[in-house]
Amino acid sequence: MPIDIGQITTDSPEATERVASALASVLRPGDLLVLDGPLGSGKTTFVRGLGKALGCSGISSPSFVLVKEYEGTHKLRHVDLFRIDESSALDDLGLEELSDPSRITVVEWAEPAIPLADEGYLEVAFRYGETANLRTIEFRSVGNLFESRVRDIREMLERLQERASVPGN
Ligand SMILES: Nc1ncnc2c1ncn2[C@@H]1O[C@H](COP(=O)(O)OP(=O)(O)OP(=O)(O)O)[C@@H](O)[C@H]1O
Ligand SMILES: [Mg+2]
């Protein structure tokens, strides 16, 4: 059963990067993150924030190459399956295993690859808010992989929320 962890609203790309950076502290090699949400909703921006926290620079969208690898304090693999519509085509990418024990894998437009995510994943879903720069980011744990870290992630979101609601911040 998926577990709803919580959500947070950001009002700038930098704020979305900060949410990702805060999440990075609970991540470890072998993790799989599935980023959901419409075009331009902030998925790649979120990966950029993760990359900054993990010491990986130069993160850009892997839309055309589908997979990009970075090396920082952890290896980060950024996958974009927007142009993939058959799971058979995933084999060509060497993605018969979506996650990899030595890396943190983050996937945009992951739907065709979800059946490969046996161990589970953290779903991060992006929604547009009512004004231009607002995005709501919602976290869900699916399967076993993040089950034991649900509370850590919830506390991380609460801390971010508290910080954001301090006047002058
Ligand atoms: N609060 C916010 N969080 C994230 N991005 C924001 C926010 N406000 C505005 N933006 C802008 O929205 C855009 C998000 O683009 P990004 O490439 O991250 O989206 P994406 O979900 O990866 O899109 P795609 O599905 O095309 O890959 C950027 O231009 C960014 O500057
Ligand atoms: Mg993107």
Side-chain angles (χ1 to χ4, degrees):
M1 278 287 279
I3 302 169
D4 288 323
I5 301 177
Q7 62 176 44
I8 190 159
T9 297
T10 65
D11 58 4
S12 68
E14 293 74 23
T16 291
E17 288 189 13
R18 285 197 292 275
V19 174
S21 295
L23 179 71
S25 61
V26 309
L27 299 180
R28 49 189 185 232
D31 278 349
L32 176 63
L33 268 58
V34 166
L35 308 188
D36 235 350
L39 286 170
S41 58
K43 302 179 293 293
T44 298
T45 302
F46 189 88
V47 180
R48 198 167 291 128
L50 275 183
K52 282 183 183 166
L54 298 173
C56 308
S57 57
I59 293 200
S60 58
S61 177
S63 295
F64 293 94
V65 293
L66 306 170
V67 183
K68 283 191 174 177
E69 302 261 1
Y70 302 91
E71 197 151 352
T73 48
H74 291 305
K75 286 183 181 157
L76 179 66
R77 178 163 66 184
H78 185 190
V79 182
D80 188 326
L81 300 179
F82 188 65
R83 284 172 180 75
I84 294 276
D85 49 13
E86 284 173 42
S87 52
S88 61
L90 294 174
D91 295 345
D92 303 338
L93 293 173
L95 287 181
E96 55 290 337
E97 306 246 8
L98 192 55
S99 61
D100 176 318
S102 70
R103 301 170 156 71
I104 295 169
T105 302
V106 187
V107 191
E108 299 185 38
W109 301 101
E111 201 176 312
I114 292 296
L116 303 175
D118 302 331
E119 308 285 313
Y121 53 90
L122 181 69
E123 182 188 282
V124 187
F126 295 78
R127 282 199 313 271
Y128 281 96
E130 289 185 357
T131 56
N133 289 340
L134 288 183
R135 302 287 190 275
T136 297
I137 311 171
E138 201 172 340
F139 294 82
R140 279 199 327 156
S141 161
V142 181
N144 294 329
L145 189 61
F146 279 88
E147 215 174 0
S148 64
R149 286 174 280 174
V150 163
R151 199 206 291 184
D152 292 339
I153 298 169
R154 210 168 264 153
E155 285 172 3
M156 177 278 285
L157 291 173
E158 281 162 13
R159 278 196 299 274
L160 284 172
Q161 208 94 60
E162 277 163 25
R163 221 188 298 162
S165 56
V166 175
N169 256 10

